[in-house]
Amino acid sequence: EKADFVSENKAVELERYRLAPGDLLFSRMASVGRAGIVGESLRGALFNYHIMRLRLEPSVLLAKFYLAYVRGASQVEQYLKEVNHGATRAGINTEQLLHMPVVLPPLAEQTRIVAEVERRLSVVEELEAVVTTNLQRATRLRQAVLQKAFDGKLT
């Protein structure tokens, strides 16, 4: 909904900013450190200067591993606090991002870590669904009890 559009000619000029599935996006301003992986739906979209794109070599570093690491490692959080600059708004530059220390286990271990993170996230999502369902049930029950109380039928 917030997407801006450019002409096809302008898009050709900005070809180097075109996204591909699997690209890793990293926020460079304001909410520094937010990261995500580009999905198929954003193929061909252009990114702006508020975002940095990383294209990782998948035989060395898995994008999903890097994403989990960036989102969860206290070392990353500490590093971003140290290098953040800006008098009125937080920011990080490309060189600082590229110098961020990254734990780099062997590819097989990265794969196992990603699988475990995804397994645990799916458990969390299942629990969220159960909690949401039970909250809706409790809300309906509360409304029914209140209705009976207001109708004088609560015994």
Side-chain angles (χ1 to χ4, degrees):
E1 294 172 2
K2 294 182 180 179
D4 290 326
F5 292 88
V6 296
S7 70
E8 197 55 45
N9 290 339
K10 187 67 173 176
V12 170
E13 288 178 35
L14 299 172
E15 188 63 34
R16 66 182 246 165
Y17 300 101
R18 201 171 289 274
L19 297 173
D23 285 351
L24 223 151
L25 301 180
F26 195 89
S27 175
R28 77 164 61 229
M29 302 177 87
S31 54
V32 173
R34 288 186 62 195
I37 298 174
V38 174
E40 186 61 42
S41 65
L42 290 177
R43 178 187 292 276
L46 302 169
F47 67 97
N48 68 22
Y49 59 90
H50 295 288
I51 303 289
M52 289 183 275
R53 174 188 56 202
L54 299 174
R55 284 198 172 142
L56 304 174
E57 175 52 54
S59 64
V60 177
L61 182 57
L62 299 176
K64 286 185 177 184
F65 172 80
Y66 184 84
L67 184 63
Y69 179 74
V70 166
R71 287 180 174 171
S74 59
Q75 296 90 336
V76 171
E77 186 177 333
Q78 183 60 37
Y79 176 78
L80 291 175
K81 283 181 184 175
E82 289 172 10
V83 300
N84 241 327
H85 63 276
T88 58
R89 188 162 70 171
I92 185 173
N93 64 40
T94 305
E95 185 175 330
Q96 291 167 325
L97 176 62
L98 294 176
H99 285 94
M100 183 171 65
V102 177
V103 174
L104 191 58
L107 201 57
E109 189 174 342
Q110 290 179 47
T111 302
R112 285 192 300 275
I113 291 169
V114 167
E116 182 63 17
V117 168
E118 289 178 344
R119 184 189 70 77
R120 290 180 184 210
L121 286 175
S122 70
V123 168
V124 169
E125 288 170 0
E126 289 173 20
L127 288 173
E128 283 179 339
V130 169
V131 168
T132 299
T133 299
N134 287 335
L135 185 58
Q136 291 170 344
R137 187 177 298 133
T139 300
R140 287 192 305 269
L141 180 60
R142 181 177 183 271
Q143 290 171 344
V145 168
L146 287 173
Q147 186 63 49
K148 284 190 180 226
F150 290 134
D151 292 344
K153 298 179 182 176
L154 194 62
T155 56

